[in-house]
Amino acid sequence: FQMCFFFKQKTAYEISACLVGSEMCIRDRYKVTLNFTGEDVHGINIQYFDTIAVCSSICVLKTGYLFGAAELGNHGFYQFLSIGTDEESPIITDSTMSRDQLVTFLPRNLKNLTLIEDHESLSSITEMKVDDLTGEGNPQIYVLCAAGRRSSLRVLRHGLAVNELAVSPLPGRPIAVWTIKNSLEDELDKYIILSFKTQNTTATLVLSIGEKVVEVFDSGFDSAKETIHVGLLEDDAMIQVFPNGIRHIRRDRRINQWAVSYTHLTLPTIYSVQISGVAGSLKK
């Protein structure tokens, strides 16, 4: 009966029955086979298997794959092509050999494993610089990663790639932005609501979302007010909250509006059937 194990061993020049190794960070994998009968082990064979990156840990999957969490650089996801039993000249040492009979080898290209996928990793970062060296208007992060032949220079940019679908000039910088559906059953939002406030003026801009993004004037929102919250009720009525009142816009565009009598509204929250977080009293 035979049982196979895979060990990480940090040596390229000495393999013995007791797995003696040095502190050299070589990336070799060995197949260890125990020959035993019952509870009696009568032989241990160690065979050079393959060389991959130095790993802090490895995981062998039952489906025939190996994941190596590299100490430096990208991690590797490998597939087993064989378990080393069909090699013509395997490099093997076993427990019957004396300690003076050393077996040497040179690391080779992958033979029993094949790399399926690289998983990007910045480990370990040796140097970092944040600067806008390309003149993009936003700083990039430049990092030196890993060491030796696995070292690399990588450039990180903030955010995700943006595809520009529409451009609408704005009268200024909005203080708040919302999107809202025309109905709770709709999959996509219908309107973009932007609120503006300057030292002298307040305004709300309503944009309709379609093949183009255009400003609309029949949404029912009060464009002269500073909007502090927007929501959609269960009956598909839209709510516009501004500092001194609430505007209730039905689907048929009938409008009810309430004003605060002596104070301002703060921290409004809109649920499907109610509005809460209102400070002050209301009058119709």
Side-chain angles (χ1 to χ4, degrees), residues 66-260:
L66 180 146
F67 177 77
E71 293 182 358
L72 300 173
N74 294 343
H75 308 311
F77 187 64
Y78 303 87
Q79 183 179 17
F80 283 95
L81 299 179
S82 70
I83 58 173
T85 57
D86 56 350
E87 293 192 28
E88 295 181 358
S89 301
I91 302 171
I92 297 177
T93 181
D94 61 61
S95 56
T96 62
M97 299 171 62
S98 67
R99 292 182 179 272
D100 297 330
Q101 293 177 286
L102 301 181
V103 176
T104 62
F105 67 93
L106 292 175
R108 67 186 181 202
N109 293 329
L110 293 179
K111 183 175 182 179
N112 296 306
L113 297 170
T114 182
L115 180 64
I116 299 297
E117 186 177 356
D118 255 347
H119 291 262
E120 290 191 358
S121 171
L122 299 180
S123 177
S124 62
I125 296 176
T126 58
E127 187 64 51
M128 177 185 295
K129 182 177 180 63
V130 180
D131 203 347
D132 184 15
L133 300 181
T134 59
E136 299 176 6
N138 290 311
Q140 304 88 45
I141 303 176
Y142 296 85
V143 291
L144 293 177
C145 305
R149 69 182 185 89
R150 292 180 59 82
S151 61
S152 62
L153 170 64
R154 307 196 187 192
V155 183
L156 308 180
R157 287 178 169 83
H158 295 286
L160 301 175
V162 176
N163 293 325
E164 188 177 276
L165 300 180
V167 177
S168 295
L170 301 177
R173 177 177 295 180
I175 60 172
V177 179
W178 299 267
T179 59
I180 188 172
K181 297 178 180 180
N182 194 43
S183 170
L184 290 175
E185 297 180 354
D186 292 344
E187 182 180 356
L188 304 176
D189 291 325
K190 174 64 176 178
Y191 298 108
I192 302 174
I193 316 298
L194 302 99
S195 180
F196 299 89
K197 182 180 180 180
T198 64
Q199 186 174 0
N200 301 320
T201 62
T202 59
T204 292
L205 181 66
V206 182
L207 303 176
S208 177
I209 306 172
E211 292 184 0
K212 296 182 178 181
V213 178
V214 296
E215 183 178 1
V216 294
F217 303 94
D218 59 352
S219 64
F221 284 83
D222 190 339
S223 61
K225 300 287 188 180
E226 170 203 350
T227 301
I228 62 173
H229 200 54
V230 169
L232 191 66
L233 298 183
E234 195 174 57
D235 60 353
D236 294 335
M238 293 184 291
I239 298 294
Q240 178 188 15
V241 183
F242 36 88
N244 59 350
I246 298 175
R247 192 174 180 90
H248 177 244
I249 309 165
R250 299 179 183 271
R251 290 205 64 176
D252 58 5
R253 294 300 181 261
R254 287 183 296 157
I255 295 173
N256 292 323
Q257 186 161 312
W258 296 270
V260 176

